[in-house]
């Protein structure tokens, strides 16, 4: 299960593109379209990355959730994923590909 989860994280990070044109100024309709953009190869924003991780984990029998809040003061989304050694916070969009047992500084859940 852990290997599958890491493969999902790496695939999402390697294959999805971030839509910088929507960063911090998207309308609700633009954000919603962006969330599902990864299905058609379109760029997406953080919630699209998180939705991809959530859906791919769920399809593979891995318990995951979509989390929302802020990172360093800006709106952001990430995941929690149940790994063999417990629940992990996962943010594949973060430069360091956060996979941590604790929510790291800068992250605030809604």
């Amino acid at each position: 299960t852990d290997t599958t989860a890491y493969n999902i994280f790496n695939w999402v990070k390697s294959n999805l593109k971030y839509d910088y044109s929507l960063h911090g100024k998207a309308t609700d309709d633009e954000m919603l379209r962006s969330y599902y953009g990864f299905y058609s190869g379109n760029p997406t924003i953080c919630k699209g990355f998180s939705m991809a991780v959530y859906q791919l984990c769920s399809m593979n029998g891995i318990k995951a959730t979509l989390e929302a809040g802020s990172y360093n003061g800006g709106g952001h989304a990430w995941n929690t994923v149940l790994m063999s050694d417990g629940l992990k916070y996962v943010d594949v969009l973060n430069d360091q590909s956060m996979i941590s047992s604790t929510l790291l500084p800068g992250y605030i859940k809604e």
Side-chain angles (χ1 to χ4, degrees), residues 2 14 16-17 21 23 27 29 39 45 47 51-53 56 62 73 80 83 88 90 99 102 106-108:
D2 287 357
S14 297
L16 272 61
K17 304 287 185 248
S21 71
H23 183 78
T27 66
D29 286 343
Y39 284 116
I45 55 178
K47 193 164 184 180
M51 287 179 71
V53 168
L56 290 169
I62 301 168
T80 56
M83 308 288 281
K88 301 291 183 185
V90 177
I99 302 170
T102 60
Y107 288 86
I108 299 172

Side-chain angles (χ1 to χ4, degrees), residues 48-70:
F49 280 75
S50 297
M51 287 179 71
V53 168
Y54 169 75
Q55 290 174 344
L56 290 169
C57 282
S58 295
M59 290 168 51
N60 284 280
I62 301 168
K63 290 186 178 190
T65 61
L66 183 77
E67 301 289 335
S70 63

Side-chain angles (χ1 to χ4, degrees), residues 10 20 46:
N10 290 328
Y20 289 96
C46 57

Side-chain angles (χ1 to χ4, degrees), residues 2 6 81-88 99-101:
D2 287 357
Y6 281 107
V81 179
L82 186 58
M83 308 288 281
S84 63
D85 59 345
L87 192 66
K88 301 291 183 185
I99 302 170
S100 175
S101 297

Side-chain angles (χ1 to χ4, degrees), residues 18-28 30-32 34-35 44-47 69-77 93:
Y18 190 81
D19 191 342
Y20 289 96
S21 71
L22 296 178
H23 183 78
K25 60 183 177 217
T27 66
D28 289 344
E30 289 171 325
M31 284 193 301
L32 186 58
S34 171
Y35 299 162
T44 187
I45 55 178
C46 57
K47 193 164 184 180
S70 63
Y71 175 64
N72 288 339
H76 195 54
L93 193 55

